[in-house]
mmCIF file of all heavy atoms in Angstrom:
data_model
loop_
_atom_site.group_PDB
_atom_site.id
_atom_site.type_symbol
_atom_site.label_atom_id
_atom_site.label_comp_id
_atom_site.label_asym_id
_atom_site.label_seq_id
_atom_site.Cartn_x
_atom_site.Cartn_y
_atom_site.Cartn_z
ATOM 1 N N HIS A 215 -1.174 22.751 -8.328
ATOM 2 C CA HIS A 215 0.274 22.590 -8.462
ATOM 3 C C HIS A 215 0.805 21.381 -7.684
ATOM 4 O O HIS A 215 1.908 20.912 -7.958
ATOM 5 C CB HIS A 215 1.003 23.841 -7.962
ATOM 6 C CG HIS A 215 0.865 25.020 -8.859
ATOM 7 N ND1 HIS A 215 1.003 26.322 -8.414
ATOM 8 C CD2 HIS A 215 0.612 25.106 -10.196
ATOM 9 C CE1 HIS A 215 0.833 27.160 -9.430
ATOM 10 N NE2 HIS A 215 0.596 26.440 -10.513
ATOM 11 N N PHE A 216 0.054 20.908 -6.703
ATOM 12 C CA PHE A 216 0.564 19.873 -5.806
ATOM 13 C C PHE A 216 0.568 18.458 -6.388
ATOM 14 O O PHE A 216 1.562 17.746 -6.240
ATOM 15 C CB PHE A 216 -0.193 19.923 -4.473
ATOM 16 C CG PHE A 216 0.123 21.144 -3.647
ATOM 17 C CD1 PHE A 216 -0.532 22.350 -3.885
ATOM 18 C CD2 PHE A 216 1.079 21.099 -2.650
ATOM 19 C CE1 PHE A 216 -0.242 23.482 -3.133
ATOM 20 C CE2 PHE A 216 1.380 22.226 -1.884
ATOM 21 C CZ PHE A 216 0.722 23.425 -2.135
ATOM 22 N N PRO A 217 -0.502 18.000 -7.054
ATOM 23 C CA PRO A 217 -0.478 16.636 -7.598
ATOM 24 C C PRO A 217 0.682 16.351 -8.554
ATOM 25 O O PRO A 217 1.271 15.260 -8.479
ATOM 26 C CB PRO A 217 -1.842 16.511 -8.296
ATOM 27 C CG PRO A 217 -2.723 17.446 -7.545
ATOM 28 C CD PRO A 217 -1.843 18.618 -7.224
ATOM 29 N N PRO A 218 1.081 17.291 -9.442
ATOM 30 C CA PRO A 218 2.225 17.005 -10.314
ATOM 31 C C PRO A 218 3.524 16.767 -9.536
ATOM 32 O O PRO A 218 4.359 15.967 -9.956
ATOM 33 C CB PRO A 218 2.333 18.257 -11.195
ATOM 34 C CG PRO A 218 0.951 18.811 -11.234
ATOM 35 C CD PRO A 218 0.414 18.560 -9.853
ATOM 36 N N ALA A 219 3.680 17.441 -8.396
ATOM 37 C CA ALA A 219 4.877 17.228 -7.568
ATOM 38 C C ALA A 219 4.874 15.819 -6.994
ATOM 39 O O ALA A 219 5.914 15.156 -6.923
ATOM 40 C CB ALA A 219 4.941 18.262 -6.451
ATOM 41 N N VAL A 220 3.693 15.348 -6.595
ATOM 42 C CA VAL A 220 3.572 13.985 -6.083
ATOM 43 C C VAL A 220 3.848 12.985 -7.205
ATOM 44 O O VAL A 220 4.573 12.004 -7.023
ATOM 45 C CB VAL A 220 2.172 13.761 -5.473
ATOM 46 C CG1 VAL A 220 2.015 12.319 -5.013
ATOM 47 C CG2 VAL A 220 1.940 14.721 -4.305
ATOM 48 N N ALA A 221 3.298 13.267 -8.379
ATOM 49 C CA ALA A 221 3.526 12.392 -9.533
ATOM 50 C C ALA A 221 5.001 12.328 -9.909
ATOM 51 O O ALA A 221 5.490 11.299 -10.394
ATOM 52 C CB ALA A 221 2.711 12.878 -10.727
ATOM 53 N N ALA A 222 5.721 13.423 -9.650
ATOM 54 C CA ALA A 222 7.156 13.474 -9.967
ATOM 55 C C ALA A 222 7.997 12.720 -8.949
ATOM 56 O O ALA A 222 9.182 12.478 -9.177
ATOM 57 C CB ALA A 222 7.629 14.928 -10.053
ATOM 58 N N GLY A 223 7.383 12.333 -7.807
ATOM 59 C CA GLY A 223 8.115 11.536 -6.842
ATOM 60 C C GLY A 223 8.144 12.038 -5.420
ATOM 61 O O GLY A 223 8.801 11.447 -4.566
ATOM 62 N N ALA A 224 7.428 13.133 -5.126
ATOM 63 C CA ALA A 224 7.432 13.663 -3.763
ATOM 64 C C ALA A 224 6.567 12.815 -2.834
ATOM 65 O O ALA A 224 5.477 12.398 -3.214
ATOM 66 C CB ALA A 224 6.938 15.102 -3.758
ATOM 67 N N ASP A 225 7.067 12.567 -1.625
ATOM 68 C CA ASP A 225 6.309 11.859 -0.591
ATOM 69 C C ASP A 225 5.532 12.840 0.276
ATOM 70 O O ASP A 225 4.614 12.456 0.996
ATOM 71 C CB ASP A 225 7.267 11.063 0.308
ATOM 72 C CG ASP A 225 8.057 10.038 -0.488
ATOM 73 O OD1 ASP A 225 7.486 8.995 -0.832
ATOM 74 O OD2 ASP A 225 9.235 10.306 -0.789
ATOM 75 N N ALA A 226 5.945 14.100 0.215
ATOM 76 C CA ALA A 226 5.277 15.161 0.966
ATOM 77 C C ALA A 226 5.429 16.450 0.176
ATOM 78 O O ALA A 226 6.367 16.597 -0.622
ATOM 79 C CB ALA A 226 5.900 15.309 2.354
ATOM 80 N N VAL A 227 4.502 17.372 0.391
ATOM 81 C CA VAL A 227 4.555 18.664 -0.296
ATOM 82 C C VAL A 227 4.525 19.768 0.740
ATOM 83 O O VAL A 227 3.734 19.729 1.683
ATOM 84 C CB VAL A 227 3.393 18.820 -1.304
ATOM 85 C CG1 VAL A 227 3.674 18.011 -2.556
ATOM 86 C CG2 VAL A 227 2.062 18.395 -0.697
ATOM 87 N N LEU A 228 5.401 20.735 0.565
ATOM 88 C CA LEU A 228 5.555 21.815 1.527
ATOM 89 C C LEU A 228 5.355 23.148 0.814
ATOM 90 O O LEU A 228 5.782 23.326 -0.322
ATOM 91 C CB LEU A 228 6.948 21.736 2.154
ATOM 92 C CG LEU A 228 7.344 22.798 3.170
ATOM 93 C CD1 LEU A 228 8.227 22.174 4.263
ATOM 94 C CD2 LEU A 228 8.109 23.955 2.512
ATOM 95 N N ALA A 229 4.693 24.076 1.491
ATOM 96 C CA ALA A 229 4.471 25.398 0.899
ATOM 97 C C ALA A 229 4.301 26.425 1.998
ATOM 98 O O ALA A 229 4.020 26.091 3.154
ATOM 99 C CB ALA A 229 3.247 25.382 -0.015
ATOM 100 N N ALA A 230 4.439 27.686 1.611
ATOM 101 C CA ALA A 230 4.274 28.780 2.560
ATOM 102 C C ALA A 230 3.229 29.781 2.061
ATOM 103 O O ALA A 230 2.144 29.898 2.621
ATOM 104 C CB ALA A 230 5.613 29.470 2.796
ATOM 105 N N SER A 231 3.539 30.473 0.962
ATOM 106 C CA SER A 231 2.665 31.551 0.469
ATOM 107 C C SER A 231 1.226 31.118 0.273
ATOM 108 O O SER A 231 0.289 31.813 0.668
ATOM 109 C CB SER A 231 3.197 32.097 -0.865
ATOM 110 O OG SER A 231 4.515 32.547 -0.749
ATOM 111 N N VAL A 232 1.042 29.957 -0.358
ATOM 112 C CA VAL A 232 -0.309 29.493 -0.690
ATOM 113 C C VAL A 232 -1.140 29.264 0.570
ATOM 114 O O VAL A 232 -2.372 29.374 0.542
ATOM 115 C CB VAL A 232 -0.248 28.219 -1.564
ATOM 116 C CG1 VAL A 232 0.259 27.025 -0.774
ATOM 117 C CG2 VAL A 232 -1.595 27.902 -2.201
ATOM 118 N N PHE A 233 -0.481 28.984 1.691
ATOM 119 C CA PHE A 233 -1.191 28.794 2.961
ATOM 120 C C PHE A 233 -1.301 30.106 3.738
ATOM 121 O O PHE A 233 -2.352 30.433 4.281
ATOM 122 C CB PHE A 233 -0.501 27.733 3.812
ATOM 123 C CG PHE A 233 -0.494 26.365 3.175
ATOM 124 C CD1 PHE A 233 0.661 25.596 3.151
ATOM 125 C CD2 PHE A 233 -1.643 25.854 2.584
ATOM 126 C CE1 PHE A 233 0.666 24.334 2.568
ATOM 127 C CE2 PHE A 233 -1.646 24.594 1.988
ATOM 128 C CZ PHE A 233 -0.484 23.837 1.980
#
Side-chain angles (χ1 to χ4, degrees):
H215 288 156
F216 290 83
V220 177
D225 300 283
V227 283
L228 178 144
S231 303
V232 69
F233 297 134

